[in-house]
Amino acid sequence: MENSMDYEVLDHLIIVHFTGEIDCSNAPVYRQALNDLFENTKEDIIFDFKNTSFIDSSGIGLVLGRYNQLKFDHRTLILTGLNQVAYRLFELTGLFQIMPYYESIDDIKEGII
Amino acid sequence: MNQMEVSFSATLDNENFARTTVGAFLTQLNPTIDEIIEFKTIVSEGVSNAIIHGYNNNAECKVVMKVEIEDRTVHLIIQDFGKGIENLEQVKTPFYTTAKDLEHAGMGITIIETLADSFQIESVKNIGTKLIITKRLKDNVG
Ligand SMILES: Nc1ncnc2c1ncn2[C@@H]1O[C@H](COP(=O)(O)OP(=O)(O)OP(=O)(O)O)[C@@H](O)[C@H]1O
Ligand SMILES: [Mg+2]
């Protein structure tokens, strides 16, 4: 599976879909692309990991960095779709204490739109 | 007992290779998908640390990885001959990182400790670092 990142706009949210794997070799590339996206938009953001087969600590660093960047602009970051192992590691890091997690995009739509 | 050993250049382009190789070797134990992801995560954390912190991304250096299977117990060794770690207790502290500017969370070693059944670091300044990891797979049902 090719590693890639794309996004779509849904109502007042931008959903970023990560496909494939996130590790040290591509996290800096995503960081740059997301910086550009955030600078040119105002919406709240969803990170969708449903099609992400692997995430290590560089994914955690990427999420934390983007969270801080968005928070500065009073924007919200929501996470969804993590595999079980990644969920456990995100939980260990305390990420769900600072940003909401939903099982699926549908749950997000029901919950907040 | 069954063993394998690989040595590869210290470039992040080999991260995926390192994970996949260990995953492929462990297939013979018929692990669950989560167990494979856990091993891949451990490999990814250990190998990225060796490349980034041990070798400062110098691709002329080599990372050595050994895997040994004994029944359903897996012993994994990840070794570099780089910078070494001075304070072993400090690097085990969650969120401790010397690369904050590169958005490192400082969670790699904490993650290895969480996913492994036992975990040891041996390190000598300017000689290198060796991670010794043991993880048991659940018994095969069916
Ligand atoms: N093989 C190594 N050689 C030299 N120093 C190391 C090595 N492994 C880890 N370290 C040191 O230990 C610190 C903590 O490592 P750890 O993997 O927990 O966090 P990180 O790599 O900084 O961030 P993250 O893994 O979350 O991206 C590193 O910042 C580095 O200073
Ligand atoms: Mg690390």
Side-chain angles (χ1 to χ4, degrees):
Chain A
M1 193 165 33
E2 184 85 24
N3 298 328
S4 65
M5 189 193 84
D6 59 85
Y7 70 91
E8 60 181 305
V9 182
L10 176 107
D11 296 319
H12 300 292
L13 293 163
I14 294 172
I15 310 180
V16 182
H17 305 281
F18 296 89
T19 303
E21 307 191 312
I22 303 176
D23 66 16
C24 294
S25 67
N26 60 10
V29 180
Y30 291 162
R31 171 190 184 177
Q32 189 55 53
L34 290 167
N35 281 344
D36 293 346
L37 174 67
F38 295 175
E39 267 174 31
N40 295 308
T41 53
K42 288 191 169 60
E43 286 85 351
D44 288 335
I45 307 286
I46 299 173
F47 279 178
D48 173 24
F49 298 104
K50 187 168 170 286
N51 292 316
T52 312
S53 51
F54 180 83
I55 313 180
D56 66 10
S57 62
S58 23
I60 293 176
L62 180 74
V63 169
L64 263 175
R66 301 296 67 67
Y67 167 82
N68 286 323
Q69 187 183 357
L70 290 168
K71 193 178 142 202
F72 188 80
D73 290 334
H74 306 287
R75 295 161 76 181
T76 303
L77 176 61
I78 300 169
L79 308 180
T80 180
L82 288 166
N83 72 50
Q84 275 186 52
V85 179
Y87 183 89
R88 205 174 133 202
L89 301 179
F90 275 53
E91 194 173 40
L92 175 79
T93 311
L95 291 187
F96 306 135
Q97 286 159 29
I98 53 176
M99 59 192 103
Y101 180 82
Y102 288 82
E103 283 292 312
S104 68
I105 303 268
D106 284 342
D107 287 357
I108 298 176
K109 287 183 192 164
E110 275 174 34
I112 63 176
I113 294 173
Chain B
M1 174 143 74
N2 188 0
Q3 282 178 311
M4 73 93 152
E5 180 173 341
V6 282
S7 164
F8 52 90
S9 303
T11 159
L12 291 174
D13 292 339
N14 283 333
E15 279 273 295
N16 177 288
F17 162 78
R19 284 198 294 275
T20 317
T21 306
V22 172
F25 186 63
L26 297 180
T27 315
Q28 57 191 294
L29 295 174
N30 207 4
T32 64
I33 292 172
D34 279 1
E35 283 172 332
I36 285 286
I37 296 178
E38 289 177 8
F39 270 103
K40 286 186 168 183
T41 309
I42 291 171
V43 169
S44 202
E45 300 302 345
V47 168
S48 64
N49 280 354
I51 296 172
I52 298 169
H53 307 302
Y55 288 136
N56 204 7
N57 293 290
N58 180 352
E60 281 169 27
C61 302
K62 295 283 193 299
V63 180
V64 174
M65 203 168 64
K66 297 178 195 171
V67 186
E68 197 176 289
I69 298 174
E70 228 184 316
D71 298 321
R72 295 189 70 72
T73 303
V74 180
H75 303 282
L76 169 69
I77 288 177
I78 299 169
Q79 189 166 13
D80 68 70
F81 308 91
K83 202 172 79 180
I85 298 169
E86 277 185 79
N87 186 335
L88 289 174
E89 281 316 305
Q90 194 172 41
V91 299
K92 288 184 177 175
T93 314
F95 304 108
Y96 173 80
T97 179
T98 50
K100 197 157 195 97
D101 47 326
L102 297 171
E103 282 197 353
H104 281 279
M107 285 304 289
I109 292 189
T110 305
I111 287 173
I112 298 176
E113 267 192 317
T114 305
L115 297 178
D117 288 323
S118 85
F119 171 49
Q120 258 174 276
I121 312 179
E122 290 173 4
S123 190
V124 181
K125 198 184 172 194
N126 295 325
I127 300 285
T129 302
K130 185 176 179 178
L131 307 184
I132 305 161
I133 295 145
T134 302
K135 185 173 170 63
R136 262 192 66 78
L137 294 186
K138 285 187 238 65
D139 288 335
N140 228 333
V141 280

